[in-house]
Amino acid sequence: MSTGPGADSAPAPNRHHDARTTSLPHLDRSLKAASKSGSKGGTFSSLRIRNYRLFATGQVVSNTGTWMQRIAQDWLVLSITGSSAAVGITTALQFLPMMLLGLYGGVIADRCPKRKLLLFTQAAMAVTGLALGVLTLTGHVQVWHVYLTALALGLVTVVDNPARQAFVVEMVGPADLRNAVSLNSANFQSARLVGPAVAGVLITAVGSGWAFLLNGLSFAAPIAALLLMRASELHKVERAPRGKGQLREGLQHVASRPELIWPIVLVGFIGTFGFNFPIWLTAFVNDVFHADASTYGLLNTLMAAGSLVGALLAARRGTSRMRLLVGAALAFGLLEIAAALAPSFWAFALLLVPIGMCGLTINVTANSGIQLASDPAMRGRVMSLFMMVFMGGTPLGAPLVGWVTDVYGPRVGFLAGGVVSTLAATAIGLVLVRAGGMRVRVGFRRGHPVVAFVPRQPTAEAGRVPAVV
């Protein structure tokens, strides 16, 4: 494993978008050679790296606790207030900080050592879970306590999310980044299958307080993992020095690079309008299928299973391509349209599996491609923008989608989300085609990420094509 100062750094000039030219045959040879000399391949190849094994083990414990708290938190607010609006307020308080302050979290992540930063954020998250657990178990909890802890958790997430996303490449290096991002998603989806079920048993047997308490204690696993890592085996990354204009610099970095801006734009549309499944699934269960909470749990489980399969399939791919991202987004939108028009319960339920697979493919492909295409010194700011658009769009899109669902019915609401996703994927696909039939390809050359615009069918005039390195 290369651990020198440049192990995780692309050549220096790309900070100012230094466009270069390279012949198509040479680029193709470089990408193929890099694929052979980079990751050893295999679905679980990143787990051969000790630091990442520790990280993944800690995350699966913590993610399970996080899903337990999500279910228990909503149930507690509903039991205290009897109001679905109060549940919505709790969700908004948890996600609004990312939408409003996410870019500043990226600046902090670029300036600070990410391992030390994560030790702080994970400890702070543990405190929120433990505090809510103690308040609930002692019978003193009130709804404003839940609001406050949700807001505090959201504020910590502003820093934790970009730091955690950008730290992955420091553990595994650029060659294994895509595999590690895919395994992180598989990890999260596995916890999504287990956490809600455990929370349901705990809430029924002993109350919500124990779910909060166990979530707080679960953060001991990632904290221990971070402490046990070998710093000498981390891939060194250039940290951004303190200075004025760093937020603007990060935005300019993204705006000047098509291989960054188009995935973020596409994910923004789909995250805002296409990922409102809590609204649609509850509406379908109540108003279309006239079923109960167990049916809602089944639909969520099917989608989580599809997402898990999608994550494992993504882990086997060696490269991130724009055409895969656009294709997955187009399939995602069309599948949502098909589900909205599904004539029976089982047709609807089974369509959720490929919807989950495509949704996860969108996330992993965009995440890994954006990380590889970013200047290492700006990766935190770029990932904070990505997460802000992906997660922060929910508080904006959910009220509109909810209004359409309430007024026109669940089928029209779901159909609208699918149509927007399909149109966004089609429009961006056409833009790339009109730009010269280009596709974005990501690979590695001598251990460094290479992002290139490659024509689908090279012509005599396209003997040399621009590549952003």
Side-chain angles (χ1 to χ4, degrees), residues 300-345:
N300 276 282
T301 298
L302 289 171
M303 182 169 287
S307 298
L308 178 59
V309 172
L312 294 176
L313 290 175
R316 297 181 62 84
R317 300 188 189 101
T319 59
S320 300
R321 295 185 179 183
M322 190 67 186
R323 66 177 178 178
L324 174 62
L325 176 61
V326 173
L330 184 60
F332 178 81
L334 292 174
L335 285 166
E336 287 196 335
I337 292 172
L341 302 175
S344 67
F345 169 78

Side-chain angles (χ1 to χ4, degrees), residues 133-201:
V134 170
L135 286 169
T136 305
L137 290 173
T138 57
H140 293 98
V141 69
Q142 299 179 37
V143 70
W144 70 268
H145 292 139
V146 186
Y147 288 165
L148 185 61
T149 54
L151 179 61
L153 190 61
L155 290 170
V156 176
T157 302
V158 166
V159 178
D160 179 82
N161 236 316
R164 186 158 34 85
Q165 297 282 340
F167 186 57
V168 174
V169 75
E170 295 188 30
M171 290 183 285
V172 303
D176 283 300
L177 176 63
R178 180 184 174 83
N179 180 262
V181 170
S182 301
L183 291 183
N184 284 349
S185 297
N187 185 322
F188 186 76
Q189 297 302 329
S190 299
R192 182 181 174 185
L193 290 172
V194 176
V198 175
V201 172

Side-chain angles (χ1 to χ4, degrees), residues 49-59 114-116 118-119 122 163-164 167-172 184 221-236:
I49 301 168
R50 179 182 180 275
N51 283 344
Y52 182 75
R53 282 200 308 273
L54 289 169
F55 177 82
T57 302
Q59 287 299 304
K114 295 176 185 63
R115 184 182 173 207
K116 293 181 179 178
L118 287 172
L119 282 169
Q122 296 292 296
R164 186 158 34 85
F167 186 57
V168 174
V169 75
E170 295 188 30
M171 290 183 285
V172 303
N184 284 349
I223 290 172
L226 290 165
L227 291 172
L228 290 171
M229 286 182 184
R230 295 170 182 163
S232 61
E233 295 180 6
L234 293 174
H235 292 245
K236 304 300 181 184

Side-chain angles (χ1 to χ4, degrees), residues 59-118:
Q59 287 299 304
V60 75
V61 176
S62 177
N63 285 336
T64 301
T66 297
W67 276 107
M68 289 168 57
Q69 174 147 329
R70 285 188 183 184
I71 300 300
Q73 176 179 277
D74 292 346
W75 188 263
L76 177 62
V77 171
L78 192 62
S79 64
I80 292 174
T81 65
S83 168
S84 296
V87 178
I89 291 171
T90 307
T91 302
L93 287 171
Q94 192 163 328
F95 283 97
L96 277 175
M98 176 61 71
M99 184 178 69
L100 299 175
L101 304 172
L103 291 174
Y104 294 97
V107 172
I108 295 172
D110 282 337
R111 286 179 177 176
C112 303
K114 295 176 185 63
R115 184 182 173 207
K116 293 181 179 178
L117 196 59
L118 287 172

